[in-house]
């Protein structure tokens, strides 16, 4: 009996060490669990029978040891029935602690019997203490083996240099998934069924499964008509292989099984084609190779997956029992450390893309990118130069995967602030805990609307209207006569200005080739307005409105300033594929009689049709090689960007409206401003569900780089996903709204003078107004607004910092230094003040003085790429090349595609006399650098599209839509014939109708 107990104890010791220190999802590991389980039960039975005689013949140390082991064994039996999920972790740790302590005491008694440390009064106590301490150290070593290599091997780290071409990404042109960067661990295919078995997960994760059912991830593939049409159109235009660029993130069941090698119409209606992104897709990513996106990850097919997805109930029960008994292998397969500790970097693998020759037959172009602008912002707590910061840093999951109460396996109780380390496991273990929502609620109202999923649609609309943005009708001023300000030089349009059409006389700095936008460093590349007529005269304003009451005269003309601010967003507004949405500001003005005085941004057909093309849009407007708008999700054909209007996180946009008061206006003018959002754009939805190429068009009307075709919306959508009731009428969500009343005065009355009120509660309103002016290059107006906030609260350093930002942009370095000195006197460690102070010193040639300021910024924000680049540039100018290399390489570690770093590394290696390395970075610089010549394509387009030309200007005014309609109708007849909205089975599915006014800018705007 005694030998059997000792033998079983030895087996338990060995299997426990293996199970704890090296968890893995393989047959030997689970065999060790079964052996440990069976031996443990046997040990408890034997100990129950023989414990009495053992205790009678043992020393104190041995008695304590056997009692602790017996207690630990009983707890182990309990764990067989409860499992060791997070809620049972306290019980598990008691089991481990009792057994380790018991083993230590047995060892102490055993060595004591053999004469070790027997002499002395406290020898037994010291021996036992030594053994316990040694056991604790051994357990600590086992914990290190369990965690450290695992955490270290699953960390997202960028390469030291970006690929020289798309052909060097992923498996390259010969790879099965190229031009997607995705790879599998063995280089082979993964069965389609693997990605279609999310229902097996609901056995333990029922709430998560239910949430996912309604999510956009579930409808990422050909169960989504917008995506379905885009891939069909893409394959018709550029072929099958380039469309794998999309499939890496959208169609795992088809792509990784090899089914995507066939034309998509052959497989889109198969179960694999309708699967979407299931649990296995995201949770099987074993490595994210970079933050360059493009599905740059490694997928792993778990060795024991067939056991989990088996149809045999006995096999399934065995799998679930072993998983509940020890969930760690399951967790290690499906929840890698970077999913929790580097959530945003994990998400970047699909929420950041670029195109290149294998996809667009052109060159590298940045597509959508929700990661870099988050990383550069204050929301991430990684950007040093943001205007606003939240109370604590946030990542993607904080907004899009909020905590929901659930008893699902893997739930947890959020840790209190400051609780870290092993103790956090005990704090987090709770029966009634939370999970991160897998509804992935964001801005996609189209899918739940088409799918008649009212619950998810309501949830999405609630998210969109939860103070994500705000709108403020801030101020009004009378129309000024030209020349009222000191003389200046009007900015002129130059080619090669990227997304901006107006520049100063200075040549534009090299910029990234992008259809999206750049990060918060965009401020430094905004063209400075030199036109006094365009500048905002702060001294002539009446505002802030609703703090003061403004009056207008009949027959008068006024400028109304409206400010839109991003508040809770962690990325640009809007995010995602910004060429595909309707996101705009609507401003209407009515008098007391209900007469419409002004209208901009109205939606035609009672909210179901196109948006007024003269509205202020937030989007990217791109054109193809023949000047046709990119409005069919045909990003591969993009050759030039007409404009990009996006608001950075924690920033603002100021919009100007020209309001003319008619002689018939009575009483009051009621202004109503709304930020509206509709996914998708009207034209895109019509095209996706009913778009048909008109007959008898030339064969060469379509090519990879252009589409000159005309389309009519006559297709029957009844058999398409979401089309059973006809083309969906997508909801327009009012994300924010503000209203102001203006008093109407007689035409002969004296013009009311300016009325500025400075109230402490309006500090943010003035600041937002100034930020919007600054980001459009209106430095005169911005400086005036920021001066007001220093008058409101001279002890707030941000007012002085923002004045300093303006003066740096102006080149007024002495004034900038004075303002920044005042900011630093109020807040000596304020990073953004130190950054702009360093800019002043650098421009004055005081390099040595600038360096400590930038180092102070980096001590707080070590991942700010712009600060790294600035410091590296100073080192380069000082010929401290090795120091420069350190900074630029640090930038590359954050973003291998950073244009400034690649450019300066080219120069630095040249300075070091290393031509090969210089050539390598020259290749990357030229790859990412904008093709300025492409802007020549925008000239003819802008001459033909006056509205878009106006919107392209950094500073512009919007007039009432009524003034645009005559020209719009004329332009429409030259653009595209369309049809009445098509309802499945209805008589109006067919005959094209020239809806000239409705479809005016269908090619230009949607």
């Amino acid at each position: 009996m005694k030998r059997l107990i000792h033998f079983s104890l030895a087996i338990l010791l060995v299997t426990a060490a293996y199970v704890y220190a090296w968890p893995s999802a393989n047959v030997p590991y689970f065999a060790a669990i079964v052996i440990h389980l069976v031996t443990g039960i046997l040990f408890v039975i034997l100990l129950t029978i023989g414990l009495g005689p053992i205790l009678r013949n043992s020393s104190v140390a041995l008695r304590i040891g056997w009692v602790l082991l017996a207690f630990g064994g009983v707890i182990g039996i309990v764990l067989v029935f409860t499992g060791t999920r997070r809620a049972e972790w306290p019980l598990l740790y008691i089991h481990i602690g009792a057994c380790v302590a018991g083993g230590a005491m047995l060892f102490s008694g055993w060595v004591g019997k053999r004469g070790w440390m027997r002499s002395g009064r406290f020898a037994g106590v010291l021996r036992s203490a030594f053994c316990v301490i040694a056991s604790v150290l051994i357990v600590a070593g086992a914990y290190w083996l369990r965690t450290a290599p695992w955490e270290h091997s699953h960390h997202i780290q960028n390469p030291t240099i970006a690929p020289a071409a798309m052909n060097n990404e992923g498996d390259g042109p010969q790879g099965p998934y190229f031009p997607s960067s995705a790879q599998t661990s063995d280089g082979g295919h993964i069965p389609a069924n693997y990605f279609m078995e999310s229902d097996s997960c609901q056995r333990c994760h029922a709430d998560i499964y239910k949430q996912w059912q309604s999510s956009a991830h579930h409808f990422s593939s050909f169960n989504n008509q917008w995506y379905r049409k885009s891939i069909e159109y893409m394959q018709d235009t550029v072929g099958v292989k380039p469309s794998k660029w999309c499939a890496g993130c959208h169609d795992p069941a088809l792509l990784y099984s090899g089914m995507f090698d066939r034309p998509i119409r052959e497989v889109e209606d198969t179960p694999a084609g309708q699967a979407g992104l299931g649990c296995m897709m995201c949770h099987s990513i074993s490595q994210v190779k970079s933050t360059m996106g493009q599905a740059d990850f490694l997928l792993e097919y778990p060795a024991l997956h067939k056991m989990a997805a088996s149809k045999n109930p006995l096999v399934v029960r065995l799998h679930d029992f072993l998983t509940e008994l020890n969930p760690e292998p399951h967790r290690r397969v499906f929840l890698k450390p970077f999913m929790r500790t580097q959530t945003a970097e994990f998400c970047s693998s699909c929420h950041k893309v670029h195109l290149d020759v294998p996809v667009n037959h052109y060159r590298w172009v940045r597509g959508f990118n929700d990661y870099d602008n988050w990383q550069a912002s204050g929301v991430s707590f990684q950007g040093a130069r943001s205007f606003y910061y939240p109370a604590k840093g946030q990542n993607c999951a904080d907004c899009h995967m909020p905590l929901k109460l659930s008893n699902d396996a893997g739930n947890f109780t959020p840790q209190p602030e400051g609780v870290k380390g092993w103790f956090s496991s005990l704090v987090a273990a709770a029966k009634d805990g939370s999970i991160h929502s897998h509804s992935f609620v964001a801005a996609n109202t189209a899918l739940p609307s088409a799918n008649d999923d009212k619950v998810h649609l309501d949830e999405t609309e609630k998210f969109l209207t939860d103070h994500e943005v705000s709108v403020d009708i801030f101020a009004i001023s009378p129309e000024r006569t030209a020349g009222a300000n000191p003389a200046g030089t009007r900015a002129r349009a130059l080619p090669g200005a990227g997304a901006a059409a107006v520049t100063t006389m200075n040549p534009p700095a090299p910029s990234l080739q992008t259809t999206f936008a750049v990060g918060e460093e965009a401020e430094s590349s905004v063209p400075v307005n030199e036109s006094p007529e365009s500048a905002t005269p702060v001294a002539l304003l009446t505002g802030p409105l609703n703090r003061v009451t403004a009056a207008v005269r009949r027959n008068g003309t006024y400028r109304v300033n409206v400010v839109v601010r991003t508040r809770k967003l962690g990325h640009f507004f809007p995010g995602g594929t910004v060429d595909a949405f309707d996101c705009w500001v609507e401003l209407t003005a009515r008098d007391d009689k209900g007469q419409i005085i002004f209208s901009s941004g109205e939606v035609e057909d009672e909210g179901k049709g196109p948006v007024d093309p003269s509205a202020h849009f937030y989007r990217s407007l791109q054109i193809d090689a023949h000047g046709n708008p990119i409005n069919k999700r045909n990003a591969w054909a993009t050759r030039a960007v007409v404009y990009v209007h996006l608001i950075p996180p924690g920033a603002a946009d100021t919009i100007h409206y020209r309001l003319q008061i008619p002689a018939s206006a009575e009483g009051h003018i009621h202004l109503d401003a709304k930020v509206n959002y509709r996914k998708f754009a009207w034209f895109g939805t019509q095209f996706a569900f009913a778009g048909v190429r008109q007959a008898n068009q030339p064969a060469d009307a379509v090519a990879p780089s252009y589409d000159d075709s005309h389309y009519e919306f006559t297709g029957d959508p009844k058999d398409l996903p979401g089309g059973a009731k006809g083309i969906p009428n997508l909801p327009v969500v009012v994300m924010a709204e503000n209203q102001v009343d203006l008093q109407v005065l007689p035409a002969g009355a004296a013009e009311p003078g300016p009325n500025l009120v400075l109230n402490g509660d309006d500090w943010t309103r003035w600041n937002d107004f100034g930020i919007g002016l600054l980001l459009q290059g209106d430095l005169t107006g911005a400086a005036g607004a920021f001066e007001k906030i220093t008058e409101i609260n001279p002890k707030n350093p941000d007012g002085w910092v923002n004045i300093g930002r303006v003066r740096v942009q102006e080149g007024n370095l002495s004034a900038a230094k004075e303002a920044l000195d005042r900011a630093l006197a109020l807040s000596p460690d304020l990073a953004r003040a130190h950054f702009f102070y360093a800019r002043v010193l650098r421009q004055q040639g005081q390099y040595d003085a600038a360096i400590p300021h930038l180092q102070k910024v980096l001590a707080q924000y070590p991942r700010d790429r712009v600060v790294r680049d600035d410091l590296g540039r100073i080192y380069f100018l000082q010929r401290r090349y090795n120091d420069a290399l350190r900074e630029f390489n640090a930038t590359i570690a954050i973003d291998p595609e950073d244009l400034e770093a690649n450019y300066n590394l080219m120069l630095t290696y040249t300075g070091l006399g290393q031509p090969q390395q210089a050539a390598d970075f020259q290749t990357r610089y030229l790859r990412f650098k904008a093709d300025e010549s492409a802007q020549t394509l925008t000239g003819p387009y802008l001459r033909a599209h006056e509205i878009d030309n106006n919107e392209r200007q950094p500073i512009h005014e919007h007039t009432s839509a009524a003034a645009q309609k005559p020209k719009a109708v004329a332009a429409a007849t030259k653009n595209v014939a369309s049809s009445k909205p098509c309802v499945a089975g209805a008589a109006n599915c067919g005959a094209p109708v020239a809806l000239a006014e409705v479809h005016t800018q269908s090619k230009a705007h949607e």
Side-chain angles (χ1 to χ4, degrees):
M1 173 75 72
K2 190 174 181 179
R3 285 188 178 182
L4 193 55
I5 290 175
H6 287 165
F7 180 69
S8 61
L9 184 59
I11 293 176
L12 287 172
L13 176 64
V14 172
T15 55
Y18 174 47
V19 167
Y20 182 77
W22 291 283
S24 54
N26 55 43
V27 173
Y29 184 83
F30 282 106
I33 292 176
V34 173
I35 293 171
H36 187 80
L37 169 63
V38 174
T39 306
I41 295 173
L42 176 63
F43 176 78
V44 171
I45 294 172
L46 293 174
L47 203 58
T48 301
I49 297 171
L51 185 60
I54 290 174
L55 293 180
R56 282 194 298 271
N57 301 317
S58 300
S59 64
V60 173
L62 289 173
R63 289 174 184 174
I64 294 173
W66 286 115
V67 169
L68 286 171
L69 284 173
F71 175 70
V74 171
I75 297 297
I77 296 295
V78 173
L79 290 173
V80 171
F81 295 95
T82 65
T84 60
R85 295 179 179 182
R86 191 184 297 268
E88 285 76 38
W89 279 5
L91 205 59
L92 174 64
Y93 291 137
I94 292 171
H95 167 71
I96 294 172
C99 291
V100 169
M105 295 305 292
L106 285 185
F107 184 75
S108 172
W110 183 77
V111 297
K113 280 185 175 183
R114 281 152 181 78
W116 187 64
M117 292 183 68
R118 291 191 64 177
S119 60
R121 186 175 178 183
F122 300 104
V125 174
L126 292 174
R127 186 177 61 247
S128 297
F130 178 84
C131 291
V132 169
I133 291 171
S135 298
V136 170
L137 292 175
I138 291 171
V139 170
Y143 179 78
W144 184 89
L145 287 172
R146 176 186 176 91
T147 57
W150 167 250
E151 299 283 346
H152 180 72
S153 62
H154 293 90
H155 181 80
I156 300 172
Q157 184 173 346
N158 280 313
T160 56
I161 188 170
M166 184 174 267
N167 285 348
N168 303 116
E169 298 172 3
D171 289 322
Q174 305 308 314
Y177 314 124
F178 186 82
S180 167
S181 295
Q183 296 173 286
T184 56
S185 57
D186 63 358
H189 287 122
I190 297 175
N193 286 344
Y194 174 68
F195 299 101
M196 300 162 56
E197 293 168 342
S198 297
D199 58 334
S200 66
C201 301
Q202 72 171 316
R203 297 200 300 266
C204 297
H205 306 285
D207 289 340
I208 287 175
Y209 178 78
K210 182 179 180 180
Q211 292 160 358
W212 166 81
Q213 284 277 35
S214 296
S215 72
H217 281 191
H218 184 196
F219 295 95
S220 69
S221 194
F222 297 96
N223 50 0
N224 172 342
Q225 180 57 26
W226 289 272
Y227 177 74
R228 177 183 181 125
K229 180 71 171 186
S230 70
I231 298 300
E232 292 174 347
Y233 175 61
M234 184 177 189
Q235 291 195 358
D236 291 343
T237 307
V238 295
V240 171
K241 188 165 186 175
S243 66
K244 291 183 180 182
W245 173 72
C246 307
C249 285
H250 280 267
D251 310 295
L254 293 177
L255 181 66
Y256 301 113
S257 66
M259 294 174 67
F260 211 95
D261 293 336
R262 298 158 59 184
I264 205 60
R265 287 184 176 85
E266 297 179 13
V267 295
E268 62 189 5
D269 289 320
T270 63
Q274 301 287 307
L277 289 178
C279 308
M280 305 305 178
M281 173 58 194
C282 295
H283 287 281
S284 293
I285 294 176
S286 61
Q287 180 186 351
V288 175
K289 296 173 287 181
S290 76
T291 59
M292 291 182 283
Q294 206 78 358
D296 196 14
F297 49 65
L298 196 71
L299 281 175
E300 186 175 60
Y301 183 53
L304 301 181
H305 164 69
K306 291 182 179 179
M307 185 177 178
S310 172
K311 302 302 181 184
N312 186 319
L314 293 178
V315 174
V316 170
R317 184 64 197 119
L318 176 61
H319 169 272
D320 290 354
F321 171 73
L322 292 175
T323 299
E324 290 169 4
L325 189 63
N326 186 350
E328 186 62 19
H330 180 81
R331 186 176 74 91
R332 294 202 171 200
V333 169
F334 294 114
L335 190 65
K336 299 296 189 289
F338 53 72
M339 298 179 186
R340 295 178 291 106
T341 61
Q342 296 178 284
T343 305
E345 287 74 16
F346 174 54
C347 296
S348 76
S349 60
C350 279
H351 290 268
K352 176 181 176 181
V353 302
H354 59 267
L355 300 86
D356 212 329
V357 176
V359 178
N360 62 8
H361 304 275
Y362 173 43
R363 53 158 298 149
W364 189 94
V365 177
R366 165 65 66 223
F368 88 90
N369 179 3
D370 284 337
Y371 173 75
D372 285 346
N373 50 91
W374 166 84
Q375 190 277 322
S377 76
V379 177
S380 68
F381 270 30
Q382 297 181 34
R385 299 152 292 108
S386 184
F387 295 103
Y388 292 103
Y389 288 81
K392 63 178 182 177
Q394 296 176 308
N395 61 39
C396 314
D398 291 318
C399 292
H400 300 293
M401 298 181 70
L403 294 177
K404 300 284 187 182
L405 290 175
S406 172
N407 287 324
D408 275 7
N411 68 347
F412 65 98
T413 299
Q415 298 174 193
E417 290 291 334
V419 176
K420 297 181 179 179
W422 68 271
F423 184 66
S424 66
S425 300
L426 295 177
V427 175
K431 199 71 175 178
D432 295 318
S434 299
I435 57 172
H436 283 287
S437 172
H438 283 60
S439 296
F440 305 107
V441 172
N444 195 322
T445 54
L447 286 171
S449 179
N451 295 335
D452 289 328
D453 187 344
K454 187 178 185 306
V455 173
H456 192 67
L457 179 60
D458 289 345
E459 193 175 2
T460 304
E461 292 183 347
K462 180 180 178 182
F463 177 85
L464 287 170
T465 56
D466 187 23
H467 307 292
E468 300 295 329
V469 298
S470 62
V471 61
D472 179 15
I473 307 174
F474 179 75
I476 189 170
S477 59
E479 181 183 34
R480 291 181 297 147
T481 57
N485 279 348
T489 304
R490 178 178 291 276
R492 62 188 180 90
L494 292 175
V502 176
T503 70
T504 62
M505 299 301 291
N506 298 319
S511 57
L512 195 74
Q513 180 80 2
T514 178
T515 64
F516 193 73
V518 287
E520 297 222 330
E521 64 271 25
E523 174 188 335
S524 61
S525 61
V526 171
V528 176
N529 173 56
E530 297 180 353
S531 169
E533 292 89 352
S534 298
T536 300
V538 172
L540 302 181
L541 297 177
T542 293
L545 298 177
N546 283 338
R547 178 69 62 190
V548 300
T549 301
V552 293
R553 294 188 309 174
R554 296 189 184 101
N555 295 327
T557 302
Y558 300 84
R559 172 183 273 196
V560 177
N561 297 286
V562 176
V563 179
V564 177
R565 153 94 182 276
T566 52
R567 293 193 172 268
K568 295 171 61 177
L569 279 84
H571 48 69
F572 280 116
F573 173 73
T577 51
V578 293
D579 61 308
F581 313 149
D582 281 333
C583 185
W584 74 103
V585 177
E586 179 181 1
L587 181 70
T588 56
R590 291 179 171 84
D591 66 5
D592 285 344
K593 297 186 301 182
Q595 177 185 195
I596 296 178
I597 306 299
F598 182 95
S599 175
S600 175
E602 183 183 3
V603 182
E604 305 215 18
D605 193 17
E606 299 181 344
K608 301 174 184 178
V611 180
D612 164 21
S614 66
H616 187 81
F617 285 94
Y618 294 113
R619 65 176 176 187
S620 172
L621 176 57
Q622 307 152 32
I623 56 175
D624 65 22
H626 285 188
N628 303 297
I630 301 299
N631 56 8
K632 296 178 285 297
R633 303 297 300 118
N634 50 328
W636 65 86
T638 295
R639 293 299 181 268
V641 176
V642 177
Y643 66 79
V644 178
H645 281 174
L646 304 174
I647 309 177
D653 178 41
T654 300
I655 312 162
H656 310 291
Y657 293 93
R658 181 174 290 270
L659 175 65
Q660 294 180 314
I661 310 300
S664 58
E666 290 189 8
H668 296 83
I669 302 294
H670 307 284
L671 294 175
D672 186 7
K674 301 175 183 178
V675 178
N676 293 330
Y677 177 87
R678 176 168 64 183
K679 181 160 183 171
F680 290 90
W682 179 87
F683 182 90
T685 297
Q686 304 299 308
F687 176 77
F689 283 84
V692 178
R693 194 163 173 252
Q694 287 183 349
N696 302 320
Q697 297 192 60
D700 62 354
V702 181
S705 62
Y706 64 85
D707 185 353
D708 293 335
S709 304
H710 291 247
Y711 291 84
E712 56 192 24
F713 306 138
T714 57
D716 191 342
K718 68 178 180 180
D719 295 326
L720 301 176
K725 298 179 181 179
I727 302 174
N729 292 317
L730 301 182
V732 174
V733 179
V734 180
M735 295 185 65
E737 186 172 10
N738 184 235
Q739 296 173 334
V740 163
D741 290 342
L742 308 174
Q743 183 180 355
V744 177
L745 301 177
E751 184 69 66
N755 184 11
L756 296 178
V757 174
L758 302 183
N759 184 292
D761 293 338
D762 295 327
W763 187 97
T764 300
R765 295 180 70 189
W766 277 104
N767 196 43
D768 294 345
F769 178 56
I771 292 169
L773 297 176
L774 173 62
L775 294 182
Q776 61 190 217
D778 184 355
L779 303 185
T780 301
F786 294 143
E787 286 167 1
K788 296 303 178 186
I789 64 175
T790 62
E791 294 176 29
I792 292 173
N793 185 1
K795 293 185 178 181
N796 187 327
D798 279 324
W800 302 108
V801 171
N802 289 344
I803 290 176
R805 297 169 93 129
V806 173
R807 301 310 180 200
V808 169
Q809 288 285 88
E810 289 177 337
N812 188 346
L813 302 183
S814 60
K817 189 173 183 296
E818 180 182 349
L820 295 169
D821 276 331
R822 298 192 66 168
L824 290 171
L826 293 167
S827 181
D829 295 324
L830 189 61
R832 46 195 177 274
H834 282 284
F835 172 78
F836 290 105
Y837 205 96
R839 278 274 169 102
V840 171
L841 295 173
R842 173 183 164 184
Q843 292 186 36
Q844 291 177 334
Q846 300 182 52
Y847 299 151
D848 287 334
I851 289 172
H853 289 278
L854 293 176
Q855 290 173 334
K856 196 157 192 173
V857 177
L858 290 173
Q860 300 175 59
Y861 298 95
R863 286 176 56 82
D864 190 304
R865 291 177 284 120
V866 175
V867 181
R868 291 277 180 194
D869 287 341
D870 272 20
L871 182 56
R873 183 65 181 175
I874 290 175
Y875 285 143
F876 171 80
L877 294 172
Q878 292 181 316
R879 301 193 178 186
R880 295 169 58 179
Y881 296 133
N882 288 322
D883 290 333
L885 281 182
R886 182 184 66 248
E887 298 305 326
F888 294 132
N889 283 327
T891 298
I892 293 296
I894 301 166
D895 179 15
E897 297 164 324
D898 187 273
L899 188 72
E900 193 76 18
N902 279 284
Y903 173 74
N904 280 290
L905 282 166
M906 172 186 72
L907 299 180
T908 303
Y909 277 115
T910 300
L912 286 169
Q914 299 180 34
Q916 183 55 55
Q917 288 89 335
D920 288 342
F921 283 100
Q922 180 185 32
T923 300
R924 275 70 179 177
Y925 169 67
L926 293 175
R927 182 187 184 199
F928 304 138
K929 178 180 175 294
D931 175 14
E932 286 91 353
S933 65
Q935 280 295 302
T936 59
L937 294 172
T938 65
Y941 177 88
L942 292 172
R943 285 192 291 272
H945 298 84
E946 180 181 346
I947 292 172
D948 292 329
N949 188 32
N950 181 65
E951 192 76 352
R952 176 179 164 111
Q953 313 309 314
I955 305 173
H956 60 276
E957 286 185 337
H958 292 270
T959 58
S960 186
Q964 303 291 338
K965 287 185 178 179
K967 293 183 180 179
V969 173
T973 58
K974 301 177 182 178
N975 262 337
V976 55
S978 187
S979 68
K980 294 180 179 178
C982 176
V983 178
N988 63 0
C989 282
V993 178
L995 297 179
E997 185 173 326
V998 172
H999 302 126
T1000 297
Q1001 302 292 337
S1002 60
K1003 295 185 74 178
H1005 285 276
E1006 305 304 320

